[in-house]
Amino acid sequence: MQAHRCHGHCLVALLHLINANCWGGPNASKRNTATLLLLASGTEDGHIHKCSTSYSEQYLESYSGHIGPVYGLQWSPFNPKLFISCSGDWTIRLWQEGRQQQLLSFQSSNEEVLDVQWCPNNSTVFGAVTAGGRLELWDFAVSTLQPVVQHALTKTSMTGLLFAKDAPVVIAANDAGGLQVFRLVNIAADRFEPAELQLIRLEEALRANVMGALSGAG
């Protein structure tokens, strides 16, 4: 989903449209369908809030973990309950709706992470760019400790990245207005699997890594 910056105060990512079936009772003859817009908002103090256009007076959920401003948010294209965030605290974090603490945390350097994006063709891969000019590609089915690809782009700050939907290509942008285009090898090119298989791989990788993190913490 698209993310939109709120003039330096928050970052908002659209979650999804939900068709909420509103019944008038067991004997109702008509069913009214209302469309709700859900979104997530990342703030400068590191909090993430899930909101709805139908409940503007309060947050539906809040997520805590980042200790710096949240610069990027994106929902998983394979599981609508998962989303990923990046922050000025040098970390990338993976979250699940209904759970206030992150599932996984990723960090490879001491640089602010300015954008994060899921790969649309591989359910366990995401990319990130840093203020120090680095492009990182992570596959948490392989490792949660180090990215599978790291590339120093320029001496300028990298501000955004975008994966191509129909080709193994990623584009990175810098604060000087430049763009660099990269071809992905052995990351997305062979992963044009059915959505069902992508979801299975995603759930298996999450299960293995979250259980491993809990075991390590114990």
Side-chain angles (χ1 to χ4, degrees), residues 13-209:
L14 301 184
L15 167 56
H16 40 243
L17 296 175
I18 294 182
N19 288 326
N21 294 328
C22 305
W23 294 85
N27 299 318
S29 59
K30 293 183 179 181
R31 184 178 67 181
N32 297 319
T33 301
T35 300
L36 306 181
L37 175 63
L38 298 184
L39 51 90
S41 171
T43 66
E44 289 186 332
D45 58 8
H47 297 297
I48 299 171
H49 305 295
K50 187 177 78 173
C51 313
S52 168
T53 54
S54 296
Y55 302 96
S56 59
E57 299 298 323
Q58 61 185 7
Y59 303 128
L60 300 181
E61 290 178 350
S62 294
Y63 307 88
S64 300
H66 284 300
I67 57 174
V70 178
Y71 291 133
L73 284 171
Q74 193 185 38
W75 298 89
S76 167
F78 298 98
N79 184 337
K81 292 186 177 297
L82 295 177
F83 64 95
I84 201 163
S85 63
C86 66
S87 171
D89 66 5
W90 314 337
T91 68
I92 302 163
R93 300 179 189 243
L94 180 62
W95 310 83
Q96 182 178 6
E97 279 190 88
R99 181 170 175 164
Q100 293 182 342
Q101 302 299 317
Q102 77 262 4
L103 295 174
L104 295 170
S105 181
F106 310 86
Q107 179 182 348
S108 68
S109 68
N110 296 338
E111 298 174 359
E112 291 185 302
V113 187
L114 300 185
D115 194 19
V116 64
Q117 293 283 317
W118 288 99
C119 176
N121 303 316
N122 189 327
S123 60
T124 61
V125 170
F126 61 87
V129 290
T130 72
R134 288 154 44 92
L135 169 67
E136 299 178 348
L137 300 178
W138 292 79
D139 185 346
F140 56 86
V142 176
S143 174
T144 60
L145 301 178
Q146 292 292 332
V148 293
V149 174
Q150 299 183 67
H151 185 75
L153 296 175
T154 66
K155 294 182 179 180
T156 61
S157 177
M158 303 309 299
T159 57
L161 79 159
L162 184 67
F163 287 93
K165 291 183 178 181
D166 300 318
V169 169
V170 63
I171 302 172
N174 62 44
D175 60 358
L179 296 174
Q180 290 183 272
V181 181
F182 298 87
R183 183 174 180 83
L184 305 176
V185 178
N186 297 327
I187 292 178
D190 299 325
R191 290 297 189 180
F192 290 98
E193 298 171 325
E196 295 80 5
L197 294 181
Q198 292 275 11
L199 182 58
I200 290 172
R201 288 198 307 106
L202 173 60
E203 292 176 345
E204 289 177 346
L206 281 175
R207 189 178 305 114
N209 284 295

Side-chain angles (χ1 to χ4, degrees), residues 4-12 42 44:
H4 306 278
R5 297 192 181 276
C6 299
H7 196 59
H9 297 292
C10 69
L11 181 135
V12 174
E44 289 186 332

